[in-house]
Amino acid sequence: MINPFAVLLLLAAYICCLFLLARWAERRAELGHGVTNNPYVYSLALATYCTSWTFYGSVGKALDSGLLFLTIYIGPTIAAALWWLILRKLVRIKSRFHITSIADILAARYGKSHRIGALATVVAFIGSVPYVALQLKSVITTFTLLAGNGGANSFLGIGPLVVLLMIFYTIVLGVRRMDPTDRHPGMVATIAVEAVIKLIALVGVGIFALFVINSGWDDLFSKLTPEQAARLLSIGGGEGASYVTWASYLLLAMSAILFLPHQFHLAVVENSDEKHILTASWLFPLYLLLINAFVVPIAAAGLAGGLPSATADTFVLGLPLRHGSTALTLLVFLGGFSAAMSMVMVSAMTNAVMLTNHILLPVIEKIPALSLLKRRLLQCRWASVAFLILVSYWFEVAVGESYILVNIGIIAFGAVLQFAPAVLGGIFWRGGTRLGAGAGLGMGFLLWMHTMLMPALAKGEPFWQGPMTHGLFGLPFLRSEALFGLTGLDPVSHSVFWTLLFNTGCYVLVSQFTRQSKEEVAVVGEFVGLAQKFEAQAGAQVEASIDLTEKCRLLENTLTQYLPRNQATEL
C-alpha cells in the first residue's frame, strides 16, 4: 500500500502541471501560433474514447467475455474508414452553422427547433450519467486499492473527495471562461498529453506482465489451465456470445465514436482543419491497436498470478502493486486518472453548454423573473457541471457494485445510439422532418430507458424490479428484457434491436406523412448536399454596400443582456 497523502500530493502536482500546459497552449493560440492546430494533437484528442473503460475495464471484459472486448475498438476503426465522408461533412456543417454541440446540429437541421434541441440535450445528459459514473467508479476503486481501505476510510469516504476533485478539475481546465466559439485549445492540449500518458502506462504494464513477471508468451500461457486459456481467447467467454451479439456491440461502438457528446465535441467542434481528419483516420485506429495489444496478456498474468477473477477490472493496477513496482504503480494510477478525467472534463463541459443553451435560456425567456441569470451564464455552466457529476456519483453508488466497468459503459453507448437515425438521416436524406426526428429520437430514448437503463437500476434498487419481472404496467409483453415476447437475444442485442427498430421506423414513417417547415426547407440543401465547401456566392442582386449602424445597434442590445456593455461594444 502507498500513503494516501502521497497519492493526493501526486495528483495535485499532476493537475497543476496540466493547468500550466493549458495556459501555455491558450497563450500560444491567442498569439496565432496554436499548438492544437495539428493533425497529431487532433488525433490524440480523439483518444479520449479510451476512458477508464479501456484502461481498466477491457481486462475485466476479456476475463468475462473473451475477445468480445475487441468489438469496442473494431467498431471505431470501421467508422474511421468512413470519416472522410461523414465527419468531414459534419465539420463543414459546424463551420457553416456555428454548431457547438450535437443538440445544436439537430436543432439547426430541423428548422431551428427548440424542442429537438431540448430533447437531444436530455438524451445526451441522461446517457452521459452512466459513462461518467464509470469513470468515478474506476478512480474510487483504484485509489482504495492503492491506499488500502484504511487510507480511504481516513478521508471519511474517498467518493465525495473524488467528486469534488473532478468538479474542480473540469471547471478550471474546461469551463473557466465563456468562449463564443466553444473551442478550447488549452483543454485539447492537456487531453493529448493525457492520451500519451495512459498509452505509455498501459503498454508498460503489458511489458511488465509479459517479460518481467513472466518470460514471454509461452511461459505466461503455460501457467494457465486449458479452460482459462480457452475462455480468454474465445469469442464470448463463458457467455457464448453469438454473431448477433458481436454485431450489436460493433454497431454501438461505431455510433459512440461520433455521437457521445464529448466525442462529437472533440471530433467536430474542436476541428480546426478538415485535412486533420485524414491523419486521424489512420492514427486513431493505430492508437486503439497499441493500447489494446496487451489486454489479453495482462488478463492472463493476473490469473496466473493468483489474482481473483472478480477483481479483473483492477488487474492493470494490481499486478505492479502486488510485485512491489511502486514507480510503475503510480504511473498506472496517473494513467487511469487521465483516462477518466479527460472524458469527465469534456463530457461535463459539453453537457453544461447544452443545458444552458437548450434548457436554461428558453426557460429564462419565458420567465422574466429569471432574466438576471443571463449575466450569470458562466456560473450556470459551473452548476451544470456539478449537477452532472453529482448525479453520476449517485448512479455509481446505486448501480456500480452490480456491474463491471465495461457493462456500465454499454448503457451509455445504447443511449447515444439513438442520435444516429436523426443525425445521419439529417445529413444524407432530404425527406427527414422535424416531427419525424422528434418521434424517432423520443421513442428510441424511451425504449432505451425501458430495456437498458431500468434493468441496470433494478440490480441495485428493488423498486425498479417490477417492470423486469412482471412487465411495465403489469403487462407481461412489456418486460424490459423480453419485450413483445422476444427472448432469444442477449440483453444488449435485445435493446439495440428494439430501440433502433422503433427509432428508425418512427423517423422514416412520420417524415413520410409530415411536411417540412419553411426553416427546414431553407437549410436542408446545405445539410444534405455533397461534401462541397460551403462558400458564399454573390448573386446579381447583391447590394454594393450595407449600412451596419442599425445591425450593430441590434447586436449590441442583444449582447448587453448577457455581458457588460463595454464587452458587448468590443464584440
Side-chain angles (χ1 to χ4, degrees):
M1 305 305 170
I2 299 175
N3 189 311
F5 289 100
V7 178
L8 289 176
L9 185 61
L10 177 66
L11 277 183
Y14 182 60
I15 291 174
C16 287
C17 290
L18 291 177
F19 178 75
L20 293 174
L21 172 65
R23 291 294 299 129
W24 173 76
E26 288 172 356
R27 285 196 296 269
R28 294 282 295 177
E30 291 167 359
L31 296 173
H33 306 291
V35 295
T36 58
N37 186 16
N38 181 289
Y40 299 103
V41 173
Y42 174 71
S43 303
L44 287 172
L46 296 180
T48 303
Y49 179 80
C50 298
T51 64
S52 58
W53 168 335
T54 298
F55 198 84
Y56 295 117
S58 288
V59 174
K61 190 65 174 177
L63 259 68
D64 183 62
S65 304
L67 298 180
L68 183 62
F69 82 92
L70 289 174
T71 56
I72 306 303
Y73 310 100
I74 297 173
T77 300
I78 296 172
L82 304 173
W83 277 354
W84 192 242
L85 173 66
I86 298 174
L87 180 54
R88 182 175 56 148
K89 177 177 279 194
L90 291 173
V91 167
R92 289 180 175 178
I93 291 171
K94 176 262 301 188
S95 300
R96 175 70 176 86
F97 292 93
H98 308 289
I99 301 299
T100 61
S101 67
I102 197 166
D104 278 358
I105 200 167
L106 287 170
R109 165 61 178 84
Y110 297 106
K112 300 180 180 179
S113 171
H114 296 302
R115 291 181 179 179
I116 293 291
L119 176 59
T121 298
V122 171
V123 173
F125 180 86
I126 297 180
S128 296
V129 166
Y131 214 9
V132 174
L134 184 161
Q135 317 309 319
L136 294 174
K137 179 183 178 182
S138 72
V139 175
I140 292 169
T141 302
T142 53
F143 186 93
T144 303
L145 178 64
L146 199 63
N149 290 326
N153 292 333
S154 68
F155 286 94
L156 303 178
I158 187 60
L161 181 63
V162 170
V163 168
L164 290 174
L165 183 63
M166 289 197 171
I167 292 172
F168 172 78
Y169 184 104
T170 302
I171 290 175
V172 167
L173 288 180
V175 201
R176 192 173 72 257
R177 62 183 183 183
M178 297 283 284
D179 189 326
T181 66
D182 271 312
R183 292 185 58 200
H184 306 79
M187 181 190 71
V188 172
T190 62
I191 289 172
V193 170
E194 287 175 318
V196 174
I197 290 173
K198 63 191 178 188
L199 177 61
I200 292 173
L202 197 55
V203 170
V205 176
I207 295 173
F208 182 77
L210 263 180
F211 303 110
V212 178
I213 302 175
N214 300 281
S215 301
W217 282 88
D218 293 339
D219 178 47
L220 172 58
F221 278 88
S222 68
K223 297 177 181 178
L224 300 180
T225 66
E227 292 77 15
Q228 289 174 329
R231 184 184 180 93
L232 277 176
L233 300 176
S234 68
I235 67 168
E239 299 175 353
S242 66
Y243 295 112
V244 174
T245 305
W246 272 65
S248 299
Y249 275 71
L250 286 171
L251 194 59
L252 287 169
M254 289 176 68
S255 67
I257 192 60
L258 272 185
F259 301 135
L260 282 166
H262 63 282
Q263 290 297 141
F264 183 90
H265 180 86
L266 291 169
V268 178
V269 179
E270 296 288 352
N271 182 284
S272 57
D273 187 339
E274 66 181 41
K275 293 181 181 178
H276 293 173
I277 297 171
L278 290 172
T279 302
S281 297
W282 64 264
L283 185 55
F284 178 65
L286 177 61
Y287 185 95
L288 295 181
L289 174 65
L290 292 174
I291 204 168
N292 284 283
F294 292 98
V295 167
V296 172
I298 292 171
L303 287 177
L307 294 177
S309 58
T311 63
D313 279 340
T314 61
F315 278 11
V316 174
L317 185 67
L319 281 173
L321 184 63
R322 181 167 184 167
H323 289 83
S325 180
T326 303
L328 182 58
T329 299
L330 291 175
L331 176 62
V332 168
F333 180 73
L334 286 183
F337 180 80
S338 298
M341 274 312 310
S342 58
M343 180 272 161
V344 171
M345 177 171 59
V346 187
S347 183
M349 182 201 70
T350 54
N351 275 283
V353 171
M354 287 189 284
L355 284 170
T356 52
N357 289 356
H358 296 282
I359 302 291
L360 181 61
L361 283 177
V363 170
I364 291 174
E365 291 297 330
K366 292 183 179 180
I367 306 177
L370 298 177
S371 59
L372 56 92
L373 292 178
K374 290 183 178 180
R375 291 290 187 94
R376 297 289 182 268
L377 284 185
L378 182 58
Q379 288 72 27
C380 290
R381 289 187 178 182
W382 294 350
S384 299
V385 166
F387 181 56
L388 173 63
I389 295 176
L390 287 171
V391 172
S392 300
Y393 181 57
W394 164 81
F395 187 89
E396 189 277 328
V397 171
V399 176
E401 293 301 319
S402 304
Y403 275 82
I404 64 173
L405 293 178
V406 169
N407 290 346
I408 298 177
I410 287 293
I411 299 171
F413 277 26
V416 300
L417 177 63
Q418 308 316 312
F419 287 127
V423 174
L424 296 179
I427 64 175
F428 288 110
W429 182 41
R430 289 180 177 271
T433 67
R434 176 174 57 203
L435 291 177
L441 182 58
M443 184 60 71
F445 178 60
L446 289 175
L447 282 172
W448 167 79
M449 292 182 70
H450 181 58
T451 60
M452 195 170 276
L453 183 62
M454 197 174 293
L457 293 172
K459 288 182 179 292
E461 294 288 342
F463 174 80
W464 302 98
Q465 291 175 0
M468 290 283 295
T469 307
H470 307 293
L472 195 63
F473 309 121
L475 299 173
F477 67 91
L478 292 182
R479 284 181 296 162
S480 295
E481 295 184 340
L483 195 61
F484 303 123
L486 182 62
T487 58
L489 298 176
D490 66 276
V492 172
S493 300
H494 177 269
S495 180
V496 168
F497 173 76
W498 286 118
T499 56
L500 269 190
L501 177 66
F502 275 83
N503 190 333
T504 306
C506 288
Y507 175 57
V508 173
L509 288 176
V510 174
S511 293
Q512 292 288 354
F513 292 99
T514 56
R515 299 180 63 180
Q516 293 177 337
S517 64
K518 292 181 180 179
E519 292 82 1
E520 290 176 84
V521 173
V523 301
V524 67
E526 291 179 294
F527 271 83
V528 182
L530 298 176
Q532 79 277 8
K533 287 189 176 180
F534 296 117
E535 297 177 353
Q537 298 180 354
Q541 304 302 318
V542 171
E543 297 179 25
S545 61
I546 299 174
D547 181 10
L548 295 181
T549 304
E550 180 65 14
K551 289 182 179 292
C552 286
R553 186 184 66 80
L554 291 172
L555 286 171
E556 188 171 336
N557 288 341
T558 300
L559 289 171
T560 51
Q561 298 178 53
Y562 306 92
L563 301 169
R565 179 163 294 277
N566 62 330
Q567 292 185 27
T569 302
E570 182 181 355
L571 286 172

